[in-house]
Amino acid sequence: MTKSRFRTARRLLIFWTLFIGLGAVAGASGMLLDPTGAAMGMDTMLPFFQVLPFSDLLFRDLFFSGIALLVVNGLTNLTAAALLLMKKRIGIVLGGVFGVTLMLWICIQFYMFPANFMSTAYFVFGFCQAATGYAAYVFDRQERFRETIPPRPAPTDPTKLVVYFSRMGYGEKIACETAKKTGAELYEIRSTERTEGTAGFWWCGRFGMHRWEMPVVPGPEDLEKYEHVTIVTPVWVFALAAPVRAFCRQAAGKIRTVDIVSVHFSRGRYENVSAEIDRLLGIRHTAYTSVRCRMGTMTLERGKE
């Protein structure tokens, strides 16, 4: 990946934690300095607090509310912001969690107050913060996974070939490990369409949804010389990845024997992937492996062949 999506998400999460945290500190300070709420025009809101438990004890004025706001949404978010600025990964988790906390806080306001713009806006802010935190967590895991991809091994068996397409690096890791184990040569399928980054994700999803082929750079012309080929493919929208579909159509009649490895996020064997490759190549695969990969954690999916 040429551009780090994690860095972008981390910067956005820093913005949200500072925006929410500083706003909460400012609001809490106003409540603590003037518990009656008159200075901020909040004194008319006190009757609405009577629907809460222990209202006669805790909500005679805004002092307790100010303390709660400071602790729940102020200091917490500022702590998360500080951890994010120090590049601590726990800051990513806390930033997302505190977005959920803000939404829960606003849900209490929805229960207490009539519908109003401010509460609705801050609920949306909380959702954006939580979503940004989750995105930062996922992007961090994905980018750190690329560091685990082994270097391309030197081939030792010219009769074997491993062909792969990999957008995020999951298939690339499997392909490199397979080539190292078997001594096979490596060939990466490259698309002429955009496949990297968030925009690439949605663009690839369009091809996957329609079961289209994606234009690829022409493959090796001497596929006939290999006695055995391994194809490593991701699963797009529950089907064969579009660039691999295009490669297989180009390679029809040129591959003698093939085994297949599919890489996907959800549970399942995805025999439809191996069946389509068989149909496109015009041969029957010798082996099929289904691997579930969630943010770098790989699990072999077992089932009937």
Side-chain angles (χ1 to χ4, degrees):
M1 253 177 263
T2 56
K3 184 178 179 181
S4 173
R5 295 189 294 171
F6 166 66
R7 290 195 187 97
T8 302
R10 176 178 162 271
R11 293 190 188 105
L12 285 173
L13 190 57
I14 290 172
F15 164 77
W16 283 118
T17 51
L18 287 175
F19 176 76
I20 300 299
L22 292 174
V25 169
S29 299
M31 293 180 186
L32 296 176
L33 291 174
D34 180 17
T36 67
M40 296 188 297
M42 296 179 62
D43 50 325
T44 58
M45 300 173 65
L46 276 173
F48 293 105
F49 284 84
Q50 300 307 307
V51 299
L52 296 177
F54 309 107
S55 57
D56 292 339
L57 178 64
L58 299 177
F59 300 110
R60 294 176 180 175
D61 55 30
L62 296 176
F63 182 81
F64 179 79
S65 298
I67 293 293
L69 179 61
L70 179 65
V71 173
V72 175
N73 291 318
L75 298 179
T76 50
N77 276 285
L78 293 181
T79 299
L83 291 169
L84 286 165
L85 289 169
M86 292 188 290
K87 298 183 178 180
K88 302 293 185 180
R89 288 195 171 95
I90 187 63
I92 302 169
V93 177
L94 292 178
V97 169
F98 295 149
V100 176
T101 303
L102 176 58
M103 287 192 289
L104 294 174
W105 176 276
I106 297 301
C107 284
I108 297 174
Q109 292 191 7
F110 286 153
Y111 174 70
M112 292 166 44
F113 306 137
N116 62 90
F117 172 79
M118 188 65 71
S119 294
T120 303
Y122 269 85
F123 185 87
V124 173
F125 295 158
F127 175 81
C128 291
Q129 180 179 341
T132 304
Y134 178 73
Y137 175 77
V138 171
F139 295 157
D140 179 44
R141 291 284 299 271
Q142 289 176 338
E143 292 180 21
R144 282 194 289 134
F145 173 82
R146 297 196 68 87
E147 299 172 2
T148 70
I149 299 175
R152 296 174 70 94
T156 58
D157 188 345
T159 67
K160 295 178 180 178
L161 176 69
V162 176
V163 176
Y164 72 94
F165 175 82
S166 183
R167 203 181 70 85
M168 299 301 301
Y170 305 136
E172 182 180 356
K173 181 175 182 177
I174 293 174
C176 288
E177 290 174 346
T178 302
K180 182 178 181 180
K181 186 183 301 182
T182 62
E185 296 179 10
L186 270 174
Y187 175 75
E188 180 181 5
I189 301 170
R190 296 184 181 275
S191 174
T192 57
E193 297 281 342
R194 179 173 184 174
T195 61
E196 293 186 348
T198 303
F201 170 81
W202 294 109
W203 190 243
C204 291
R206 177 172 176 262
F207 277 82
M209 181 176 62
H210 292 285
R211 306 294 189 263
W212 292 339
E213 292 183 13
M214 180 177 282
V216 295
V217 176
E221 297 181 356
D222 54 352
L223 283 172
E224 296 92 342
K225 76 174 186 178
Y226 298 103
E227 294 179 3
H228 188 76
V229 176
T230 299
I231 296 179
V232 181
T233 176
V235 174
W236 286 2
V237 197
F238 310 107
L240 180 65
V244 182
R245 181 178 290 118
F247 169 83
C248 290
R249 190 175 296 280
Q250 292 177 6
K254 300 178 182 179
I255 294 178
R256 303 183 194 178
T257 61
V258 66
D259 61 85
I260 303 163
V261 181
S262 69
V263 189
H264 47 86
F265 180 82
S266 58
R267 290 185 178 277
R269 286 277 294 171
Y270 292 103
E271 278 93 349
N272 60 306
V273 169
S274 60
E276 183 174 359
I277 291 177
D278 287 350
R279 179 176 57 80
L280 291 169
L281 295 179
I283 58 176
R284 167 72 179 173
H285 62 271
T286 57
Y288 175 61
T289 305
S290 176
V291 179
R292 176 164 56 97
C293 184
R294 293 190 176 180
M295 292 180 286
T297 302
M298 294 191 178
T299 306
L300 183 65
E301 288 291 313
R302 301 187 182 276
K304 280 190 175 182
E305 174 65 18

